[in-house]
Amino acid sequence: MLLSGAQIVMEELLAHGVDTVFGYPGGAALDLYDALYEYSDRINNVMTAHEQGASHAADGYARSGGKTGVVIATSGPGATNLVTGIATAWMDSTPLVAITANVASHLIGRDAFQEIYITGITMPITKHNFQVSDASEISDVIRDAFRIAHSGRKGPVLVDITKDATIAKVEYEPRKPMDLPAPLCIDASEAEKVAALINEAQRPLFYCGGGVIASDATDWIRRIAAKADIPVCHSMMGAGVMPHDDPLNLGMVGMHGTVAANRAADECDLLLAVGVRFPDRVALSPKKFAPKAKIVHIDADRSELNKNVKVDMAIRCDILQAMEMLHEGVAEASHPVWMAKLADWKAVCSRDCPEGDGLDPCSLIAKISELSGPDAIYVTDVGQHQMWAAQHVHHNEPKHFITSGGLGTMGFGYGAAIGAKLANPGKRVVHLTGDGSFHMNFNEGCTAAKYKLPIITVLFNNRVLGMVYQWQTQFYGGRYSATEPERLTDFPKLAEALGVKGYAASTLEEFEACYRKALEEEGPVWIDCAIDRHIRVLPMIPGGGTVEDMITE
Amino acid sequence: MDTIQNSRKVISILVDNKPNTLARISSLVGRRNYNIETITASETHMPGVTLITLVVTDTDPDVLDQIVAHIEKLEPVREVHVMDSTGGLYRELLLLKVIVDKDARSSLVEIAEVYRAKIIDLSRSSMIIELTGEPSKLDGFMDLMSEYELVEVCRTGVTGMNRGM
């Protein structure tokens, strides 16, 4: 059939199971949006306030729903507004297809109105990108884009299409999506070696990350842990790998990780690092990380192996399949001495939240967890509230904690929460944010209001840029440079102005009352919670330090 | 023996000749903070396939392995390998324009002969010399040339091939 390039884009989106896209129109994207108008019964375009919000929404949609997210933007500023969102997806390996329109091909390279070299700009933050100026190539390119985004280590792909290519009509034959390459299996002899190491170990430890979540290997990790009595710690991206109250769950490891997880990493004799990157926020001192352990690193991406930490055994393979094989190979075991040690460390509770009736981050999160039910999806922004959430939210399932780990993007949260809610209409979505982050993206309140998305935003409002403020307190002698913005923002009023319900709370009782009301709302709600600016995120290991440098009070 | 063995490594990359492939590789190298000395791209006997040769000054095996692992992930890359230090043949081409007067002319001709270089242009006041060989040979030649008044020098960068099959 004879279709325009823009119609072919829609056909390919449908062929890849896409029914929701996030985006914003513009001059070069007129024909793409004209096609969306035609396909609006099958493809829902969620229009955000800002392209950055759309990119984070597509990311949150993908992270929480498991499908590739799609974002559409126009040329020039539309495309550059996606950059932070694409970089966020890149750092956390989220499958994303970003489609940008560009000026007509005869104008490319002439600095035309709203022309930007977006393929050049996004080269280092995409798995691959394409520029298409021929309508007959669109079908192949979109198919490739979905294949690349979703195979191996997942990640973002950008497709830039010139306006004339979206207009031109060419013959189009529908085809099935491309087969993903078969997962790379672990070598049987390597699996045996790892199993033997596990069976010999006295103090084994799992260190799991986003790769475990992305490859749906959580169940197998839990089974191996139970069978061979292996405690599990996780990176922030690995939250949900173990049920919250599982005795083998040590929680998060790293800069703001638990005492138990960091002590365990320091003392273990075998570290099973699965789907992780050993970043500077976990292996703060890469040469001294897990110093007593043989380290086995299993990851889908060979370039992660021996990148930050030199390991004893580096295995590139599909994680799901490897864990399945390992489960077979490991013997049932118990490590009572190791477990007793871990129990002692777990008993060391380190937090900076004051006791009492006031509103503090720890009791806020405990209350939210209690009221939101076990299946709620938590989406965060970046800063202190993010760390408190990573530490105190009761993570039970994978894909229920959506946060910008690698890039640490303030302003990620609201867009991502919108995406998460659209991917999971039946689930409660809670957006935890700080006043710094929220000032970067609260404009998406208009989006949540327009689409009547019952997302509850809990604003940890300490009226400072808390994380930087904490560092200035700890390491810069209290010289608070640019972290006390003294803003006059009235969040409940701002909420109302955007069509969002707004509440404020200054005690836990007030908060509970607001939150209970919020749970009944059919649209978005913001709850502005006044918290003390002096409360720190603890424990903390300063950058470059080891567990011996841990600040616990 | 040539200096490639000691202070440099040659990485040969077969890629699909798609837009921006060279830019993707140089962007990657820049982003990951690897040190490259030269980069060349040339056609091969296979249609649509280009050979890119990188000469890197990092010779730490872990760093080399990282460079290869990252390059391998690029979509247009078909094959990457670090070339054999001893079994590889490496060549580079150099063009050099030098001011000549009566006295310099004969000594330059002598040096060119010793190096089996070709004089491809000669005028009253200048001479262009072409030299092909291993990078170390070109380095040695350049060392001798430093005594003369040079106008322009260009080197193509290294390309190489492993011996045998």
Side-chain angles (χ1 to χ4, degrees):
Chain A
M1 54 189 155
L2 201 61
L3 294 181
S4 72
Q7 287 171 317
I8 293 172
V9 171
M10 301 305 138
E11 288 292 336
E12 286 299 343
L13 291 179
L14 287 172
H16 289 85
V18 176
D19 56 14
T20 304
V21 298
F22 301 86
Y24 204 97
L30 269 165
D31 291 273
L32 280 175
Y33 270 83
D34 192 55
L36 264 174
Y37 187 82
E38 184 189 338
Y39 284 75
S40 60
D41 56 331
R42 285 163 287 168
I43 301 175
N44 177 25
N45 175 59
V46 178
M47 193 190 152
T48 53
H50 189 290
E51 287 93 346
Q52 186 183 345
S55 63
H56 294 320
D59 185 328
Y61 182 87
R63 290 186 201 222
S64 63
K67 272 165 66 172
T68 297
V70 179
V71 58
I72 301 178
T74 192
S75 64
T80 56
N81 280 343
L82 297 181
V83 170
T84 301
I86 295 172
T88 305
W90 165 254
M91 290 292 277
D92 290 342
S93 310
T94 308
L96 194 73
V97 172
I99 300 173
T100 50
N102 210 329
V103 299
S105 52
H106 71 277
L107 292 171
I108 292 276
R110 293 169 189 268
D111 300 321
F113 176 65
Q114 294 193 329
E115 184 201 349
I116 204 77
Y117 177 38
I118 194 64
T119 45
I121 290 173
T122 56
M123 210 174 267
I125 53 168
T126 50
K127 283 184 82 177
H128 191 58
N129 60 25
F130 299 88
Q131 189 176 48
V132 191
S133 53
D134 179 349
S136 66
E137 289 175 7
I138 289 176
S139 169
D140 281 349
V141 164
I142 304 257
R143 288 157 57 81
D144 270 337
F146 276 92
R147 170 185 58 81
I148 295 166
H150 214 88
S151 56
R153 178 178 179 178
K154 294 164 191 169
V157 179
L158 179 127
V159 179
D160 188 42
I161 311 174
T162 60
K163 184 169 180 170
D164 51 324
T166 63
I167 297 169
K169 285 196 153 83
V170 292
E171 270 305 318
Y172 172 75
E173 282 302 323
R175 287 174 287 176
K176 279 198 295 188
M178 293 172 87
D179 291 329
L180 296 183
L184 188 70
C185 294
I186 187 169
D187 196 65
S189 66
E190 275 185 319
E192 269 171 41
K193 270 187 217 159
V194 178
L197 286 173
I198 294 175
N199 296 340
E200 284 160 24
Q202 300 300 309
R203 302 185 306 279
L205 175 69
F206 262 122
Y207 156 39
C208 296
V212 171
I213 311 283
S215 51
D216 296 316
T218 310
D219 277 350
W220 288 107
I221 296 279
R222 293 178 180 189
R223 285 198 214 180
I224 298 170
K227 185 175 176 187
D229 200 30
I230 306 173
V232 181
C233 68
H234 60 80
S235 68
M236 188 168 66
M237 298 307 298
V241 62
M242 290 294 278
H244 168 70
D245 55 5
D246 192 304
L248 291 170
N249 181 19
L250 303 181
M252 186 166 75
V253 67
M255 183 175 273
H256 293 298
T258 63
V259 172
N262 282 309
R263 285 273 167 216
D266 200 52
E267 279 294 320
C268 64
D269 66 354
L270 175 67
L271 186 75
L272 300 158
V274 190
V276 291
R277 301 187 290 129
F278 294 91
D280 59 310
R281 285 297 188 269
V282 171
L284 295 114
S285 173
K287 291 209 164 82
K288 292 180 189 160
F289 188 68
K292 298 172 187 166
K294 270 214 162 74
I295 303 179
V296 178
H297 189 188
I298 301 177
D299 200 273
D301 179 357
R302 166 158 118 76
S303 69
E304 283 304 339
L305 305 173
N306 291 315
K307 183 174 87 176
N308 293 329
V309 166
K310 185 105 173 126
V311 300
D312 300 283
M313 210 176 157
I315 304 169
R316 180 205 173 187
C317 65
D318 176 63
I319 291 172
L320 175 66
Q321 198 265 342
M323 292 305 119
E324 208 178 321
M325 262 177 98
L326 266 188
H327 179 259
E328 190 108 326
V330 298
E332 282 190 39
S334 72
H335 306 101
V337 182
W338 181 223
M339 289 301 152
K341 245 185 186 176
L342 294 169
D344 288 347
W345 291 327
K346 277 172 109 170
V348 184
C349 186
S350 176
R351 54 174 60 174
D352 203 25
C353 287
E355 304 286 318
D357 300 331
L359 209 45
D360 68 81
C362 310
S363 40
L364 256 179
I365 292 173
K367 186 57 78 184
I368 295 166
S369 292
E370 175 197 324
L371 297 175
S372 309
D375 205 25
I377 295 174
Y378 295 90
V379 185
T380 81
D381 266 300
V382 166
Q384 283 185 312
H385 74 274
Q386 178 191 29
M387 292 303 129
W388 288 318
Q391 293 173 333
H392 303 305
V393 162
H394 292 183
H395 308 288
N396 282 305
E397 290 301 325
K399 299 183 177 143
H400 281 58
F401 188 65
I402 311 300
T403 190
S404 167
L407 196 65
T409 308
M410 289 172 72
F412 169 77
Y414 213 9
I418 288 168
K421 183 65 198 172
L422 286 159
N424 300 275
K427 287 186 183 170
R428 166 62 54 198
V429 172
V430 184
H431 168 222
L432 307 174
T433 186
D435 49 307
S437 287
F438 203 39
H439 267 109
M440 291 196 182
N441 70 349
F442 67 68
N443 53 353
E444 296 306 340
C446 70
T447 312
K450 185 205 152 170
Y451 291 95
K452 292 196 177 60
L453 301 173
I455 298 164
I456 304 177
T457 294
V458 179
L459 174 58
F460 291 65
N461 191 351
N462 53 9
R463 307 179 67 80
V464 288
L465 304 182
M467 188 54 97
V468 180
Y469 186 88
Q470 173 175 341
W471 282 55
Q472 287 170 336
T473 306
Q474 197 91 41
F475 307 115
Y476 289 81
R479 289 147 59 89
Y480 298 116
S481 180
T483 50
E484 298 169 300
E486 306 298 347
R487 292 182 177 126
L488 305 175
T489 316
D490 181 330
F491 282 101
K493 271 191 192 163
L494 181 60
E496 298 296 338
L498 289 165
V500 174
K501 273 264 186 271
Y503 298 115
S506 50
T507 65
L508 201 57
E509 291 69 39
E510 278 174 24
F511 175 75
E512 180 166 352
C514 296
Y515 202 83
R516 285 189 186 279
K517 274 191 271 180
L519 289 167
E520 302 303 316
E521 286 291 338
E522 283 172 5
V525 180
W526 297 357
I527 308 174
D528 181 8
C529 302
I531 59 167
D532 186 327
R533 65 179 59 182
H534 298 105
I535 303 173
R536 294 166 300 163
V537 179
L538 292 181
M540 176 180 188
I541 304 176
T546 69
V547 70
E548 300 310 329
D549 307 308
M550 188 181 261
I551 302 164
T552 52
E553 58 186 34
Chain B
M1 287 301 278
D2 78 80
T3 52
I4 282 200
Q5 279 182 67
N6 309 320
S7 59
R8 303 166 172 133
K9 281 280 178 186
V10 178
I11 299 176
S12 110
I13 311 162
L14 275 183
V15 299
D16 289 329
N17 185 11
K18 293 267 174 66
N20 288 333
T21 299
L22 190 59
R24 287 179 208 285
I25 290 170
S26 49
S27 162
L28 172 69
V29 166
R31 175 162 66 90
R32 297 278 173 196
N33 207 16
Y34 302 133
N35 296 314
I36 59 167
E37 201 168 71
T38 66
I39 182 165
T40 67
S42 55
E43 285 182 1
T44 63
H45 65 293
M46 294 173 277
V49 179
T50 298
L51 174 71
I52 293 177
T53 309
L54 280 184
V55 177
V56 298
T57 48
D58 288 303
T59 51
D60 175 345
D62 289 338
V63 175
L64 279 172
D65 190 56
Q66 274 287 303
I67 299 176
V68 170
H70 282 289
I71 292 174
E72 244 175 21
K73 290 201 306 186
L74 295 174
E75 196 57 26
V77 170
R78 295 182 166 204
E79 220 182 286
V80 192
H81 63 271
V82 179
M83 290 190 54
D84 205 330
S85 292
T86 47
L89 288 173
Y90 305 98
R91 290 293 179 270
E92 191 176 359
L93 183 139
L94 173 146
L95 293 178
L96 170 147
K97 185 186 285 180
V98 55
I99 302 276
V100 288
D101 52 28
K102 262 193 187 156
D103 298 339
R105 183 172 297 142
S106 56
S107 62
L108 280 166
V109 171
E110 252 176 55
I111 294 171
E113 267 176 20
V114 171
Y115 273 86
R116 292 171 203 269
K118 278 193 248 170
I119 294 158
I120 56 174
D121 182 65
L122 187 59
S123 73
R124 212 177 295 169
S125 58
S126 73
M127 177 189 282
I128 297 179
I129 303 174
E130 174 195 320
L131 175 63
T132 310
E134 294 202 333
S136 56
K137 177 178 164 187
L138 270 58
D139 290 344
F141 179 73
M142 282 307 297
D143 187 40
L144 286 176
M145 284 297 115
S146 64
E147 288 183 7
Y148 297 87
E149 204 177 333
L150 303 180
V151 183
E152 233 182 301
V153 176
C154 55
R155 291 172 71 154
T156 55
V158 178
T159 191
M161 205 173 266
N162 280 339
R163 289 174 196 269
M165 284 305 290

